[in-house]
């Protein structure tokens, strides 16, 4: 059972559209990370959020950590083909174990 | 700082053989974790090493083993390869020196194909 549930599993959009992916859990996390992975490569860290309610912006990407530190979202504005990839979230639960979600596959077509 | 490096990047083996993969963490990082990634199962945790000691272990058979050297470099070994071992094997390093950090930095992975 995935402790971190990511949704949707797959998202296909046109260039210029906006998208949001979610990472949810019933557990509290001390911090949460978002990664993007391209085919055949390792995940690349995008951001770490640590404070409930925290919002971080990285150019066109906006990351939010829920107030209760159980969920997070990643919003991409005006998506570009270079945003295509598998988006993974990870977090450490109260037992000290690092958990990964199954990922959201995002495809942005020109 | 140089990132996490993994060698080799690609490997083709046949069933029954064994394989050793190598990982060099970011300089100064003492924790190395290994993951297996397949399309059907996603990222599956194999084990974590810290200061040459295995600290955590996932649910993989004993054919999967690892070790860490005094310079923090790590190796992972899979013996008696099976077709289902075909996967991308990822190594990730963490600092774990000043306080506790959850952030792992991944290498590019080793793509293992078992024929």
């Amino acid at each position: 059972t995935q402790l971190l549930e990511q949704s949707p599993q797959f998202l296909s959009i046109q260039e210029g559209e906006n998208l949001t992916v979610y990472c949810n859990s019933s557990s509290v996390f001390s911090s949460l990370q978002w990664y993007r992975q391209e085919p055949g490569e390792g995940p690349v860290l995008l951001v770490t959020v640590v404070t409930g309610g925290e919002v971080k912006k990285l150019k066109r990407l906006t990351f939010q950590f829920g107030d209760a530190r159980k969920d997070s979202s990643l919003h991409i504005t005006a998506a570009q083909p270079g945003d295509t990839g598998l988006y993974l979230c990870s977090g450490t639960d109260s037992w000290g174990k690092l958990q990964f979600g199954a990922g959201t596959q995002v495809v942005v077509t020109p | 700082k140089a990132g996490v490096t993994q060698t080799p990047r690609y490997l083709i083996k046949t069933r029954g053989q064994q394989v050793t993969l190598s990982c060099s963490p970011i300089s100064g990082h003492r924790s190395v974790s290994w993951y297996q990634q397949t399309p059907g199962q996603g990222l599956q945790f194999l084990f974590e090493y810290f200061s040459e000691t295995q600290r955590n272990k996932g649910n993989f058979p004993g054919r999967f083993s690892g070790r860490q050297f005094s310079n923090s470099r790590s190796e992972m070994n899979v013996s008696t390869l099976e077709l289902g071992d075909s996967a991308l094997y990822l190594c990730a390093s963490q600092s774990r020196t000043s306080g506790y950090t959850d952030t792992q930095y991944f290498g590019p992975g080793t793509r293992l194909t078992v024929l």
Side-chain angles (χ1 to χ4, degrees):
Chain A
T1 307
Q2 294 286 112
L3 200 63
L4 280 167
E5 299 286 341
Q6 289 192 245
S7 62
Q9 288 184 314
F10 183 80
L11 196 53
S12 180
I13 60 171
Q14 298 275 55
E15 183 176 1
E17 293 182 334
N18 302 331
L19 68 99
T20 303
V21 298
Y22 301 92
C23 178
N24 296 305
S25 175
S26 56
S27 301
V28 174
F29 290 89
S30 57
S31 70
L32 197 140
Q33 294 77 38
W34 283 96
Y35 295 85
R36 180 172 63 223
Q37 184 179 22
E38 299 185 15
E41 299 292 330
V44 174
L45 178 70
L46 296 173
V47 77
T48 298
V49 285
V50 297
T51 306
E54 180 177 4
V55 176
K56 279 192 175 179
K57 284 183 177 278
L58 195 69
K59 296 183 181 177
R60 296 175 293 101
L61 278 60
T62 302
F63 304 86
Q64 185 159 10
F65 201 14
D67 291 340
R69 291 186 288 129
K70 292 183 178 181
D71 55 86
S72 181
S73 64
L74 157 59
H75 181 79
I76 302 179
T77 304
Q80 299 176 0
D83 295 324
T84 293
L86 179 69
Y87 287 83
L88 293 160
C89 66
S90 73
T92 301
D93 61 24
S94 53
W95 293 274
K97 287 193 74 173
L98 187 64
Q99 306 282 344
F100 276 87
T104 294
Q105 181 64 51
V106 171
V107 175
V108 183
T109 53
Chain B
K1 274 186 182 177
V4 180
T5 57
Q6 290 187 246
T7 57
R9 290 295 312 275
Y10 303 93
L11 261 181
I12 299 176
K13 293 284 188 179
T14 56
R15 277 183 298 173
Q17 287 187 307
Q18 77 162 22
V19 68
T20 299
L21 312 181
S22 182
C23 171
S24 292
I26 291 171
S27 177
H29 284 195
R30 294 164 63 189
S31 166
V32 173
S33 297
W34 288 90
Y35 293 85
Q36 181 195 67
Q37 188 177 37
T38 58
Q41 298 295 319
L43 265 175
Q44 301 286 311
F45 173 72
L46 281 154
F47 27 67
E48 179 196 2
Y49 285 87
F50 180 79
S51 292
E52 302 178 67
T53 302
Q54 186 180 89
R55 180 145 68 170
N56 288 302
K57 191 176 187 305
N59 295 325
F60 277 81
R63 301 185 295 108
F64 292 82
S65 63
R67 58 178 175 167
Q68 186 179 33
F69 302 95
S70 58
N71 62 358
S72 294
R73 190 177 70 85
S74 177
E75 285 182 347
M76 192 194 98
N77 186 75
V78 188
S79 62
T80 320
L81 284 166
E82 300 176 0
L83 293 178
D85 297 332
S86 293
L88 183 67
Y89 289 88
L90 292 162
C91 163
S93 79
Q94 261 172 281
S95 175
R96 292 202 190 268
T97 49
S98 54
Y100 180 76
T101 173
D102 303 327
T103 302
Q104 294 194 327
Y105 298 86
F106 285 87
T110 293
R111 169 70 63 185
L112 173 64
T113 301
V114 182
L115 303 175

